Amino acid sequence: MKKILIINGPNLDMVGIREPGVYGSQTLSSINCEIKSYTESVGIDCDFYQSNCEGAIIDKIHSVLNDYDGCILNAGAYTHYSYAIRDAISSVNKPFIEVHMSNVHSREEFRHVSVISAVCKGVISGFGKNSYILAVKALEEII
Ligand code: DQA
């Protein structure tokens, strides 16, 4: 069975409380339950990880090398400036998909820049919780 990892970075544990007009009112654990139902229905094993710490996210990205077939990453604000996360993705020869719940291009200018897009297979942004499901569907095609 193929196995994927979904990583959520800083402040995504606050989804449901945080800026509901942008991120919706559903909690991350409830979104993860919906993703799990989808991955089970298509026969993919899926693990979830969330951290607010850059180093912990990097360690988890490294684990993709031996433990997973691919990874979906919402790096939160680290997307816009973490060269360390970019280098971690580059270190692991597995497909990564960059995800954002909001449409980062319709928001503040600093969110228009991603330092990780170039080392990911593709980017999905702007579909709320469905961004994750769309990313799983994209990953399914390439793992
Ligand atoms: C986000 C967009 C980022 O700009 C922001 O810092 C986040 C969440 C999104 O899912 O839309 O924390 O990645």
Side-chain angles (χ1 to χ4, degrees):
M1 191 185 260
K2 296 287 183 185
K3 193 172 176 192
I4 66 170
L5 175 65
I6 299 185
I7 301 177
N8 278 288
N11 301 307
L12 288 151
D13 54 334
M14 295 299 284
V15 164
I17 298 167
R18 170 192 187 196
E19 300 177 80
V22 177
Y23 300 108
S25 52
Q26 210 174 327
T27 62
L28 186 63
S29 54
S30 137
I31 292 170
N32 287 348
C33 278
E34 285 188 29
I35 298 168
K36 190 83 183 167
S37 301
Y38 175 74
T39 55
E40 278 174 4
S41 75
V42 294
I44 289 176
D45 194 5
C46 181
D47 287 343
F48 298 90
Y49 180 76
Q50 191 278 327
S51 176
N52 295 318
C53 303
E54 189 177 24
I57 293 167
I58 290 168
D59 287 341
K60 203 68 186 174
I61 288 171
H62 291 169
S63 81
V64 174
L65 182 61
N66 292 319
D67 298 345
Y68 297 96
D69 296 295
C71 181
I72 290 163
L73 172 62
N74 185 346
Y78 284 139
T79 303
H80 312 301
Y81 65 92
S82 176
Y83 299 121
I85 287 180
R86 178 195 171 111
D87 284 349
I89 298 167
S90 296
S91 306
V92 174
N93 190 22
K94 292 284 170 69
F96 279 69
I97 298 187
E98 176 185 342
V99 157
H100 303 286
M101 296 181 77
S102 64
N103 178 352
V104 286
H105 297 288
S106 69
R107 300 181 66 196
E108 301 93 327
E109 209 159 326
F110 75 89
R111 297 186 205 276
H112 301 180
V113 174
S114 167
V115 300
I116 67 170
S117 298
V119 293
C120 290
K121 281 283 175 193
V123 182
I124 296 171
S125 176
F127 299 96
K129 65 181 180 181
N130 289 328
S131 288
Y132 295 100
I133 301 281
L134 291 167
V136 174
K137 289 182 177 177
L139 203 48
E140 267 179 78
E141 302 292 325
I142 54 175
I143 59 174

